[in-house]
Amino acid sequence: MSETSTALTLTTGARPCVCLQGAWTLAHYAQLARTVARPTASVVCLDASGLTALDTAGAALLVKLLGTDTLCRILPDASGLSAERRALLLAVANAMAGRESPPPAASRWTDGLARLGKFMLNGWRQWVLLLGFMGLTLSTLAASIARPRSWRLTALVAQMHQCGLNAVPIVALLTFLVGAVVAFLGATVLANFGATIYTVDLVAYSFLREFGVLLTAILLAGRTASAFTAQLGSMKVNEELDALRTQGLDPIELLVLPRLLALTLTLPLLTFIAMLSGMVGGALVSLLSLDIALAQYLAIVQQVPVRHFLVGMGKAPLFALLIALIGCLEGFKVSGSAQSVGEHTTSSVVQSIFGVILLDAIAALFLMEMDW
């Protein structure tokens, strides 16, 4: 048998036996992988008298063909196998134990059900973690109220500037454009019924109750929650949070409370600006396209009950609390890599937007049932 002639044969009979021939080495690995087939019968013995050379590549291929359990069972009684090659096969088999590819899934239905269950379990854990973080933050806030020296006024003002003042242009521009679009679409539909004048009520009601606070919260969820997560996540990657704890400082009190209070104070103000900007956009469309004078527009807006304004403003602190908590929590969950910072930043934006819309839907159903 030549050095390049490599093969694995199976002799059948009372005791099916595998016969190895040639060189089972890395140089002949491609040839072995193409020509050697997995034995279909149950193998009970191994004959290596025709084996001329063996290395880890050949041993790994043999383990893959026969299986770890089968090879370990027949290896002690193998014939024509030196002690060194027997030890090599045994070491490779032990190293590859458990690495066989798992069996295919039973069905796509069960696989999808398993993924759904995993998704629901992760969602429940995230909800419990968010509630725990909320309790920790609120308890820290309650404890710091009695200690004026622990108030971080400079950090609070800086966060209010970043979260509130810097967000005014984008909030005002977006709500102005949305107000103009709502007025235009409303007028297009209402014109078929000769009720174009009710476009003013449509814009006023929608922005006072829903659009003003919802658009503002969604903008801040994408702008501010991501900033909170990236800032705290970068501090955790750089071990700055550990340094604060080493100095006896509480990261919740030092980093979370200023951001939470700043967002809680600025989101209602931004919501008020959004309401005004949306109604200004509706007024511009009414003036230019519907021939509704500005004085008439303002007179109709003044007739809207004030409770709709209070409903919209009342949602703002709740949305601010949710956005700040999710953004800070995802920042604390970052592990020590830049990829983790990006993943949790994306997660905080998605969770914040989803939470804001879900909370707004629940509030709308509740207020509708209460006839508010």
Side-chain angles (χ1 to χ4, degrees), residues 42-62:
S42 178
V43 179
V44 297
C45 65
L46 175 66
D47 182 10
S49 57
L51 186 65
T52 59
L54 178 69
D55 62 5
T56 53
L61 180 59
L62 185 61

Side-chain angles (χ1 to χ4, degrees), residues 63-151:
V63 173
K64 186 183 299 185
L65 292 172
L66 299 181
T68 304
D69 296 335
T70 301
L71 184 61
C72 292
R73 176 170 48 83
I74 66 177
L75 197 57
D77 301 327
S79 61
L81 197 62
S82 64
E84 293 80 5
R85 291 175 179 175
R86 193 188 307 271
L88 176 61
L89 286 172
L90 184 61
V92 173
N94 292 332
M96 296 179 64
R99 294 187 181 181
E100 291 84 359
S101 58
S107 66
R108 295 182 179 179
W109 184 84
T110 56
D111 187 58
L113 188 62
R115 287 197 298 266
L116 177 61
K118 184 178 180 180
F119 175 77
M120 296 296 294
L121 183 59
N122 291 337
W124 172 253
R125 289 175 179 173
Q126 176 64 23
W127 172 248
V128 173
L129 192 61
L130 180 61
L131 289 180
F133 186 71
M134 180 187 301
L136 177 62
T137 303
L138 295 180
S139 62
T140 305
L141 176 61
S144 64
I145 291 177
R147 294 182 286 109
R149 290 187 178 182
S150 65
W151 296 354

Side-chain angles (χ1 to χ4, degrees), residues 326-344:
I326 291 177
C328 294
L329 175 60
E330 290 298 316
F332 283 122
K333 289 168 60 179
V334 170
S335 58
S337 65
Q339 180 180 359
S340 179
V341 175
E343 291 175 353
H344 286 283

Side-chain angles (χ1 to χ4, degrees), residues 218-240:
I218 291 176
L219 276 175
L220 291 188
R223 181 181 182 275
T224 306
S226 60
F228 288 173
T229 303
Q231 291 166 1
L232 297 180
S234 299
M235 294 180 69
K236 188 173 182 181
V237 170
N238 296 330
E239 299 182 354
E240 296 178 36

Side-chain angles (χ1 to χ4, degrees), residues 209-210 307-308 310-312 315 360-372:
R209 288 186 67 96
E210 297 293 338
R307 71 173 185 273
H308 300 297
L310 297 178
V311 165
K315 297 178 185 178
D360 183 72
I362 295 174
L365 293 176
F366 174 77
L367 295 173
M368 182 180 64
E369 292 295 329
M370 299 298 294
D371 198 19
W372 289 352

Side-chain angles (χ1 to χ4, degrees), residues 117-365:
K118 184 178 180 180
F119 175 77
M120 296 296 294
L121 183 59
N122 291 337
W124 172 253
R125 289 175 179 173
Q126 176 64 23
W127 172 248
V128 173
L129 192 61
L130 180 61
L131 289 180
F133 186 71
M134 180 187 301
L136 177 62
T137 303
L138 295 180
S139 62
T140 305
L141 176 61
S144 64
I145 291 177
R147 294 182 286 109
R149 290 187 178 182
S150 65
W151 296 354
R152 310 287 176 176
L153 296 180
T154 303
L156 176 62
V157 173
Q159 292 296 330
M160 290 181 65
H161 179 272
Q162 180 181 358
C163 301
L165 186 61
N166 291 345
V168 169
I170 184 63
V171 170
L173 177 61
L174 178 66
T175 51
F176 174 83
L177 296 176
V178 173
V181 170
V182 170
F184 182 77
L185 293 178
T188 303
V189 175
L190 294 174
N192 298 327
F193 305 94
T196 308
I197 192 64
Y198 289 103
T199 302
V200 181
D201 296 273
L202 174 64
V203 174
Y205 277 86
S206 61
F207 272 89
L208 290 178
R209 288 186 67 96
E210 297 293 338
F211 283 168
V213 63
L214 187 60
L215 292 175
T216 305
I218 291 176
L219 276 175
L220 291 188
R223 181 181 182 275
T224 306
S226 60
F228 288 173
T229 303
Q231 291 166 1
L232 297 180
S234 299
M235 294 180 69
K236 188 173 182 181
V237 170
N238 296 330
E239 299 182 354
E240 296 178 36
L241 298 181
D242 296 333
L244 291 177
R245 295 188 180 96
T246 303
Q247 297 175 6
L249 300 175
D250 186 6
I252 301 295
E253 179 181 333
L254 189 66
L255 301 174
V256 176
L257 290 185
R259 288 171 169 80
L260 176 65
L261 295 176
L263 197 59
T264 305
L265 293 175
T266 55
L267 187 55
L269 299 177
L270 291 173
T271 299
F272 181 73
I273 294 175
M275 293 176 180
L276 293 180
S277 299
M279 288 189 288
V280 168
L284 183 63
V285 172
S286 300
L287 181 63
L288 298 179
S289 301
L290 307 179
D291 295 330
I292 299 177
L294 182 60
Q296 186 180 7
Y297 185 93
L298 294 177
I300 297 174
V301 170
Q302 289 177 358
Q303 297 176 3
V304 177
V306 71
R307 71 173 185 273
H308 300 297
F309 170 76
L310 297 178
V311 165
M313 295 298 294
K315 297 178 185 178
L318 299 178
F319 291 166
L321 178 66
L322 182 64
I323 294 170
L325 289 176
I326 291 177
C328 294
L329 175 60
E330 290 298 316
F332 283 122
K333 289 168 60 179
V334 170
S335 58
S337 65
Q339 180 180 359
S340 179
V341 175
E343 291 175 353
H344 286 283
T345 300
T346 303
S347 178
S348 70
V349 174
V350 173
Q351 291 183 41
S352 299
I353 295 177
F354 177 78
V356 164
I357 295 176
L358 178 62
L359 186 59
D360 183 72
I362 295 174
L365 293 176

